Amino acid sequence: MSRQPLPCSIQEIGQLFLFEKLTPEQLGRLCAEGRVELFEPGLVYSEGRPATCFYVLLEGTVVLSHQVGEDDVEVNRTSQPGVYAGAMQAYLGDRTPQLYSNTLRITEPTRFFVLSADTFADVMHEWFPMAVHLLEGLFFGVKNVHQVIGQRERLLALGSLSAGLTHELNNPAAAAARAAALLRERLAAMRHDLAAIAGDPGTRDALAELMEFQKQATERVTKAPALSPLQAADEEDILSEWLEDHGSEQSWQLAPTFVQAGLTSESLDRVATMVDDEALPTALGWLNSAVETELLIEEITESTARISHLVDAAKQYAQLDRAPFRMADVHELLDSTLMMLAGKIGPHITVVKLYDETLPKVPAYPAELNQVWTNLLDNAIAAIDSAGGAGTLTVRTARANDQLLVEIQDTGKGVDAEIRDRIFDPFFTTKPVGEGTGLGLDISWRIVTNKHHGSLRVESVPGDTRFQVLLPLTVSQPDPMREPA
């Protein structure tokens, strides 16, 4: 960019709000060590480049922009004399990277008063030592607080997920343990009844036929049709009457098991023809133990499969043994996060999944996207809980032009319009003191915009709040070290 040196006027810079309290000696030093330059329209400096100069606008128009993903977003446009930009943190020295935090352009011939970063740092330390100490404390204090609370935010999320996963694992594990204990009892009862049947000369010859019937009955267990509670109660009454008519003293215990296995009174008539009346209760008890054994094995199988499914979901959520950046299926990521939060969602919240199954995989950091889903879903659950009563949590995916849309909708009380523009700011939270750090949405915004070149936005009215994440369907691998200034 072409620039032209011009004379520096003490009177002109002394009228700027930035320098109006300086003494004539101080203004003279600024003019002696600084310079006035006329810039032609175009780029003055670029974000991320070494910050070498401090710029103060004298005349013209400046445009400040900030890099968000692959987009250059305008954040300010002004013609007010005295506004400043550039090496504003030069007084911190090498304790922080001295880089331009934004991009400065001008739209017309513009005059700047320019100080080198070193000169700006010297005059700050010499003229305003107390202010420099206060600014240093503020800068590094906020930075340290951001790091500590960010770590705390992640630990809180991890604790919440761990509690939910433990709760979800406990149910099938307890069911499997209970079924295993009952299975041991039923096997012992089967051995006892089988020994009694085999030792009775009247039933010994029917043993082979009973064994075949038992085999057919146990095979029928997994294929029995599901009955409504009313249908099951009617069938149990029929079998109870049959059992009582045939001398059974445990009809109340045997009938539900036989109904669950799909046995009918006609099935039991076959058993009655195989043995005499005296041996029938023993044969029915043995058959009941065999059927219960099969039902318990099925329960153990389902419980262990549930545990395995939860472990797989946890591995999918944590992205263990997987490349940090890869092509990912957002539906798998969303399902694993919902699974991890199942204990927190509770029965009062209805989860609706509206997935577009035709969507392709997207290039992403899956573990970090799971962190985004966790923050958004956790906020949606909290919004529904705070509204009181039941609610609906809807997770929708769709194609939006050349991007993939993930929308998380809740029926909570909504986000007030006056704070909607602030919810992505660091440390801003609407939760009660002690329940939120105000970093969940800030972290989510950084992950989506800076690491995935996407966008995160919110639309909200009472009873309908929607957080929308837009991810590019195709993108070159982002820079994992990139962070917003």
Side-chain angles (χ1 to χ4, degrees):
M1 163 178 289
S2 63
R3 61 185 70 180
Q4 177 184 350
L6 298 173
C8 177
S9 169
I10 293 177
Q11 289 73 24
E12 182 178 27
I13 66 171
Q15 293 175 357
L16 302 176
F17 66 84
L18 189 62
F19 302 138
E20 63 183 356
K21 299 298 183 180
L22 298 184
T23 66
E25 291 76 13
Q26 291 171 325
L27 293 172
R29 179 178 174 182
L30 290 180
C31 268
E33 300 188 23
R35 61 190 184 273
V36 174
E37 292 185 357
L38 176 65
F39 289 73
E40 294 300 324
L43 179 69
V44 177
Y45 64 74
S46 299
E47 178 180 347
R49 304 294 296 175
T52 59
C53 292
F54 178 72
Y55 296 87
V56 182
L57 178 64
L58 297 176
E59 182 183 18
T61 301
V62 297
V63 177
L64 284 174
S65 60
H66 184 66
Q67 192 76 18
V68 179
E70 294 182 337
D71 301 322
D72 203 33
V73 179
E74 181 178 323
V75 295
N76 193 19
R77 180 185 293 256
T78 181
S79 299
Q80 180 184 358
V83 297
Y84 51 91
M88 294 183 293
Q89 295 172 349
Y91 59 87
L92 296 172
D94 57 5
R95 286 176 292 173
T96 187
Q98 294 296 330
L99 305 173
Y100 289 121
S101 60
N102 47 43
T103 297
L104 178 63
R105 293 182 177 86
I106 56 177
T107 59
E108 59 180 325
T110 300
R111 288 189 307 124
F112 286 103
F113 173 72
V114 184
L115 274 178
S116 69
D118 292 338
T119 300
F120 177 62
D122 289 341
V123 297
M124 284 291 292
H125 282 279
E126 183 178 339
W127 295 346
F128 314 108
M130 183 176 178
V132 167
H133 287 303
L134 292 173
L135 289 171
E136 288 175 345
L138 178 64
F139 178 84
F140 290 110
V142 170
K143 184 177 181 181
N144 291 336
V145 168
H146 196 291
Q147 291 175 342
V148 171
I149 295 185
Q151 189 176 41
R152 174 69 173 169
E153 181 87 8
R154 290 188 289 272
L155 288 174
L156 287 173
L158 180 61
S160 176
L161 291 173
S162 298
L165 180 61
T166 302
H167 174 77
E168 289 298 306
L169 285 170
N170 182 65
N171 291 335
R178 181 178 61 252
L182 291 174
L183 182 61
R184 183 179 293 108
E185 295 178 7
R186 296 301 177 267
L187 288 174
M190 280 182 63
R191 289 192 294 267
H192 178 270
D193 291 340
L194 183 60
I197 293 172
D200 187 344
T203 59
R204 189 178 302 153
D205 296 338
L207 187 57
E209 193 173 2
L210 281 171
M211 292 288 287
E212 180 61 26
F213 182 84
Q214 181 232 48
K215 177 183 177 182
Q216 295 174 2
T218 53
E219 288 176 350
R220 192 182 296 120
V221 167
T222 57
K223 303 174 184 177
L227 301 177
S228 67
L230 184 60
Q231 290 174 322
D234 291 341
E235 291 296 323
E236 288 175 15
D237 290 341
I238 294 173
L239 288 188
S240 292
E241 292 180 7
W242 189 97
L243 292 167
E244 290 172 359
D245 292 343
H246 289 77
S248 174
E249 298 180 355
Q250 296 179 312
S251 60
W252 59 273
Q253 183 178 359
L254 302 183
T257 303
F258 289 158
V259 169
Q260 194 172 354
L263 297 178
T264 63
S265 57
E266 289 78 10
S267 303
L268 298 184
D269 285 338
R270 288 180 53 196
V271 179
T273 62
M274 299 177 192
V275 296
D276 55 35
D277 292 343
E278 185 177 347
L280 182 58
T282 301
L284 291 173
W286 173 71
L287 179 61
N288 175 75
S289 296
V291 171
E292 281 196 330
T293 297
E294 191 67 25
L295 290 172
L296 290 170
I297 291 174
E298 185 67 19
E299 184 176 348
I300 291 173
T301 301
E302 291 178 357
S303 297
T304 53
R306 172 67 174 169
I307 292 173
S308 178
H309 183 55
L310 286 168
V311 172
D312 287 342
K315 289 175 64 179
Q316 170 70 25
Y317 179 85
Q319 294 294 302
L320 296 176
D321 303 325
R322 302 193 181 194
F325 182 82
R326 62 182 178 85
M327 301 299 292
D329 185 340
V330 293
H331 299 144
E332 292 180 358
L333 303 181
L334 289 166
D335 285 341
S336 67
T337 307
L338 286 167
M339 181 74 71
M340 297 292 287
L341 290 171
K344 197 169 188 177
I345 291 174
H348 64 292
I349 296 178
T350 301
V351 178
V352 177
K353 294 191 287 188
L354 303 176
Y355 290 170
D356 181 353
E357 300 294 348
T358 65
L359 290 173
K361 293 182 178 181
V362 295
Y365 291 93
E368 299 201 24
L369 280 184
N370 280 339
Q371 189 177 0
V372 174
W373 312 144
T374 300
N375 289 333
L376 298 183
L377 289 168
D378 187 65
N379 285 347
I381 295 167
I384 295 174
D385 289 340
S386 65
T392 301
L393 175 62
T394 304
V395 182
R396 184 172 72 93
T397 63
R399 182 188 290 268
N401 298 322
D402 59 345
Q403 293 180 305
L404 183 147
L405 169 68
V406 177
E407 182 180 79
I408 295 177
Q409 177 186 9
D410 67 73
T411 56
K413 59 183 181 181
V415 181
D416 294 337
E418 56 268 22
I419 65 171
R420 202 170 300 156
D421 293 337
R422 300 175 57 199
I423 60 174
F424 297 112
D425 292 347
F427 309 112
F428 180 80
T429 179
T430 58
K431 295 179 180 178
V433 175
E435 294 186 16
T437 62
L439 285 178
L441 290 178
D442 171 52
I443 292 171
S444 299
W445 185 87
R446 289 168 177 262
I447 291 172
V448 172
T449 60
N450 287 276
K451 300 201 73 170
H452 293 86
H453 305 315
S455 62
L456 174 58
R457 63 196 185 198
V458 61
E459 298 176 357
S460 182
V461 294
D464 184 4
T465 297
R466 305 180 184 213
F467 280 88
Q468 298 173 331
V469 176
L470 288 164
L471 300 171
L473 292 172
T474 57
V475 69
S476 58
Q477 178 164 339
D479 179 3
M481 299 303 293
R482 182 175 178 81
E483 285 290 338

